[in-house]
Amino acid sequence: MTVVDVMPHLDERWEPTPEGRFGAFGGRYVPETLMAAVLQLDEAYRAVRNDRGFWEELHRMLTDYAGRPSPLYFAERLTEQLGGARIYLKREDLNHTGAHKINNTLGQVLLAKRLGKSRIIAETGAGQHGVATATACACCGLECVVYMGAEDVRRQALNVFRMELLGAKVVSVDTGQKTLKDAINAAMRDWIGTSDHTHYCIGSVMGPHPYPQMVRDFQSIVGREARAQVLEATGSLPDQVVACVGGGSNAAGIFAPFLDDKDVTLIGVEAAGSGMEPGQHAATLSVGAPGILHGMETYVLQDEDGQTMPVHSVSAGLDYPGVGPEHAF
Amino acid sequence: MVHSKTNRVVARLAEKAQAKVGAVLPYFTAGYPDNATAAEFIRRADALGAPVIEIGVPYSDSIADGPVIQDSFNYVLARSYRLDDAFDLVRQVRESVTCGLVAMVSFSIVHRYGLDRFMRVACAAGLDGVILPDVPAEEAAATLHAATSANLCHIGLIAPTTCETRTKAIARTSTGFIYQIAVSGTTGERAMVADALSSEVAAVRRVSNLPVCVGFGVSRPEHVRSVCKVADGAIVGSGIVRRIGDGIEAGADHAQIADSVSAFIGTLTEAAATVES
């Protein structure tokens, strides 16, 4: 069985500045009312970052509760059919709740407990992060409220049912395009009034610092395992690591442990939707421009006045008009 | 901060302080329900003695705003309102009002337009200050510099959750006045103004000589009275914007809406005038 370190460790140059900057990107652009909570979280996360006890506790939960490590699978028939690279799949879908999202939610819920918070809120697009948050809250006995765009509530009804089954309250958000971006707005507005007892469990490598760094670290278990597994299976590092990018958490997680491997090309794939015309895609890095959204400076799909533009993807959850600041950098 | 000429925000608030009367600072969403009517609201509020008027620039993803302001933003943006239209509104009223005009605008919009360019155009249009609700003190050095260079006040916000160290930092990056947020939450009407307000304003006064105006949740004459007892001014947004929205919904013509909004601001102004500061 593959053995990986329970702690993320990255070369200094991949870390953001104390203000949360990855180059020009990141930072904190939130209302003053939230700054106390954001700074409290930053301080708490800096404290646990080097606390092996915290990571060992998280690793026990990832192993015993979430079913890690997830397998690295050699997709033999896909490899044959495509006739090029040998293709390995990192099977994050085989985790408890069916996605990589549980890696992050268990980490954040553990941290929230240390902060003495009794209530967890989250946004969700497809519902995977919502289900993973509801699951972590059920496991740790915390109240859970999930904000979800009304359009996503409709197209992902099964996940709404799962969240409710796990004891979470799902709030359908009826503003804007009624998808992920609007669910994030609603969750932030909740947090502004409740941050004294509520932790906002953001589901991707986005938002104000320390979220992009913290979520990447929690998700880096994907890459730590994958790197060890591919070495074990093939005796060498891969030529390429490919991941889809919505907000970018699974990409950040699998990329992080390969950042120092100069011969490994890291490829993020964005949703082209039904065309590259405005409103038809969610290709933020490909055609967006630097802007401010949801507390961070990053690539954003905006009109020339700075208003967020509509986005589209057949995949609920990839339809996000921003992207994590580390990807922008 | 040294201004090349006295900034209207500074001058008008100083006059209120000298006269020892409380002030009401009304907030209007730019372009709501249209520029001509918004201009009429501003002129009449100025005539009622508002020292400073806030003009909210519509933004698609305003996190700090509650449902009333958000609805007004959505209404305006759905009618293809542009940032240039908001500057036009300021140009339309500038010559006919004596109050300070301050834009409440998300940094998303300012950043996209270009920080220095935004401040220059804002000043040329006739604005006297900016409130950037999503720029915390840590990120405020650049915005303060750009605003000050364009002779605009840079009005910082302090929340009930703000600690003493941050209060000092925000005071250092503020000019014109300090915006004390009355409640932990988004903008919107509330039944009460928090009891803790008086000690929060006192904490600001310990570190700053700037006037302190209080907003978020301040929506009734009795709120204005309790705010003006401890602070220099009461900022009223959602209470006004909801009346505009109700008028639109009821199909009232715009002159009627302007009458009802002015009458409401009149009751707020009277409430403020009864307070000796």
Side-chain angles (χ1 to χ4, degrees):
Chain A
M1 181 122 123
T2 316
V3 180
V4 299
D5 193 349
V6 299
M7 290 177 83
H9 33 72
L10 281 179
D11 191 276
E12 269 301 304
R13 66 196 164 120
W14 307 118
E15 299 295 2
T17 67
E19 298 78 34
R21 292 279 169 182
F22 296 93
F25 300 101
R28 295 184 177 110
Y29 294 95
V30 292
E32 174 59 23
T33 312
L34 276 183
M35 279 306 290
V38 167
L39 291 172
Q40 180 197 35
L41 180 66
D42 186 30
E43 194 186 328
Y45 183 63
R46 270 189 284 124
V48 303
R49 187 93 196 282
N50 298 311
D51 173 359
R52 185 160 280 275
F54 175 85
W55 295 97
E56 279 168 356
E57 186 181 358
L58 175 59
H59 201 74
R60 268 196 302 280
M61 292 179 79
L62 289 173
T63 310
D64 301 344
Y65 186 66
R68 299 209 71 91
S70 69
L72 185 77
Y73 172 72
F74 178 51
E76 197 171 351
R77 282 171 36 80
L78 187 61
T79 295
E80 265 172 33
Q81 190 180 341
L82 294 177
R86 276 181 297 153
I87 299 166
Y88 287 81
L89 301 175
K90 179 61 175 159
R91 297 294 306 272
E92 287 299 296
D93 55 310
L94 296 179
N95 296 327
H96 184 36
T97 71
H100 68 295
K101 296 292 186 184
I102 193 84
N103 306 329
N104 170 43
T105 61
L106 284 173
Q108 285 201 45
V109 166
L110 269 186
L111 190 57
K113 277 183 81 169
R114 290 203 171 196
L115 285 168
K117 310 266 169 159
S118 59
R119 178 173 176 267
I120 303 287
I121 56 171
E123 83 292 341
T124 198
Q128 295 292 1
H129 175 60
V131 169
T133 306
T135 303
C137 288
C139 178
C140 294
L142 298 180
E143 182 189 347
C144 179
V145 176
V146 179
Y147 289 90
M148 190 170 187
E151 173 62 17
D152 290 330
V153 166
R154 187 190 60 74
R155 57 182 173 174
Q156 301 287 126
L158 182 59
N159 278 338
V160 175
F161 176 71
R162 292 172 76 196
M163 287 183 264
E164 288 173 345
L165 206 59
L166 287 155
K169 182 182 161 200
V170 179
V171 180
S172 175
V173 178
D174 233 347
T175 53
Q177 264 194 298
K178 304 176 188 181
T179 61
L180 179 56
K181 164 189 83 105
D182 311 293
I184 296 169
N185 290 339
M188 291 235 179
R189 288 176 190 130
D190 176 316
W191 203 32
I192 289 175
T194 60
S195 61
D196 57 332
H197 65 284
T198 295
H199 172 71
Y200 178 17
C201 182
I202 294 184
S204 193
V205 286
M206 47 142 293
H209 180 66
Y211 283 101
Q213 176 193 22
M214 177 177 73
V215 176
R216 174 200 70 189
D217 290 347
F218 287 143
Q219 290 297 357
S220 70
I221 185 67
V222 180
R224 276 178 277 147
E225 285 177 7
R227 194 172 181 282
Q229 287 166 326
V230 76
L231 278 172
E232 195 173 283
T234 68
S236 64
L237 288 171
D239 298 305
Q240 298 182 345
V241 178
V242 184
C244 64
V245 178
S249 72
N250 81 85
I254 198 166
F255 288 169
F258 291 99
L259 286 171
D260 287 317
D261 299 319
K262 287 194 181 55
D263 296 332
V264 180
T265 308
L266 306 174
I267 299 173
V269 182
E270 296 187 302
S274 43
M276 292 315 285
E277 297 80 37
Q280 297 301 306
H281 62 83
T284 310
L285 285 167
S286 308
V287 296
I292 311 286
L293 180 67
H294 292 145
M296 59 185 164
E297 181 160 1
T298 186
Y299 274 75
V300 183
L301 292 168
Q302 288 179 328
D303 70 12
E304 43 189 285
D305 275 0
Q307 311 289 353
T308 313
M309 294 208 290
V311 287
H312 174 74
S313 169
V314 66
S315 160
L318 284 188
D319 50 354
Y320 181 61
V323 65
E326 190 175 5
H327 293 306
F329 173 51
Chain B
M1 286 302 142
V2 180
H3 290 304
S4 51
K5 63 179 169 41
T6 307
N7 184 288
R8 289 184 199 88
V9 172
V10 177
R12 296 295 99 77
L13 286 173
E15 286 161 21
K16 289 282 175 189
Q18 202 151 30
K20 294 192 181 304
V21 288
V24 174
L25 288 68
Y27 168 105
F28 301 103
T29 297
Y32 190 55
D34 54 39
N35 261 1
T37 312
E40 181 66 12
F41 297 151
I42 293 169
R43 286 191 198 100
R44 290 175 69 166
D46 177 70
L48 286 164
V52 175
I53 293 173
E54 272 182 45
I55 299 175
V57 178
Y59 173 47
S60 56
D61 296 278
S62 174
I63 289 165
D65 282 308
V68 169
I69 305 288
Q70 279 177 56
D71 286 351
S72 73
F73 285 180
N74 293 337
Y75 179 97
V76 172
L77 291 174
R79 283 157 183 77
S80 305
Y81 197 78
R82 303 292 310 270
L83 178 57
D84 282 336
D85 297 322
F87 287 136
D88 265 341
L89 170 63
V90 177
R91 288 182 200 108
Q92 278 174 43
V93 297
R94 181 66 279 173
E95 292 309 315
S96 49
V97 298
T98 57
C99 63
L101 295 171
V102 166
M104 178 105 158
V105 54
S106 167
F107 190 54
S108 304
I109 290 170
V110 175
H111 180 278
R112 180 67 183 212
Y113 198 77
L115 177 55
D116 290 321
R117 176 178 171 227
F118 182 95
M119 299 299 172
R120 270 199 318 276
V121 174
C123 175
L127 281 163
D128 305 294
V130 289
I131 305 172
L132 306 169
D134 45 3
V135 176
E138 288 82 350
E139 307 283 356
T143 53
L144 172 66
H145 182 260
T148 307
S149 305
N151 196 27
L152 296 172
C153 291
H154 183 270
I155 296 143
L157 297 102
I158 289 178
T161 51
T162 305
C163 66
E164 197 184 336
T165 318
R166 294 189 59 75
T167 298
K168 282 183 193 155
I170 295 163
R172 272 198 302 275
T173 54
S174 296
T175 60
F177 67 91
I178 286 177
Y179 192 134
Q180 171 71 48
I181 297 172
V183 291
S184 287
T186 52
T187 57
E189 298 167 88
R190 306 285 197 289
M192 316 247 313
V193 169
D195 292 335
L197 189 60
S198 137
S199 62
E200 285 157 8
V201 172
V204 179
R205 299 235 196 259
R206 278 198 293 277
V207 299
S208 171
N209 295 321
L210 289 174
V212 181
C213 300
V214 177
F216 281 46
V218 181
S219 53
R220 300 177 185 175
E222 62 266 31
H223 297 164
V224 169
R225 260 192 298 275
S226 26
V227 164
C228 287
K229 276 178 195 153
V230 297
D232 302 285
I235 301 165
V236 181
S238 295
I240 291 171
V241 174
R242 182 176 57 75
R243 276 173 175 75
I244 302 170
D246 288 350
I248 296 169
E249 195 134 308
D253 68 47
H254 291 173
Q256 276 176 308
I257 300 177
D259 286 345
S260 112
V261 166
S262 297
F264 176 60
I265 295 173
T267 63
L268 301 174
T269 309
E270 272 169 40
T274 61
V275 180
E276 275 198 34
S277 54

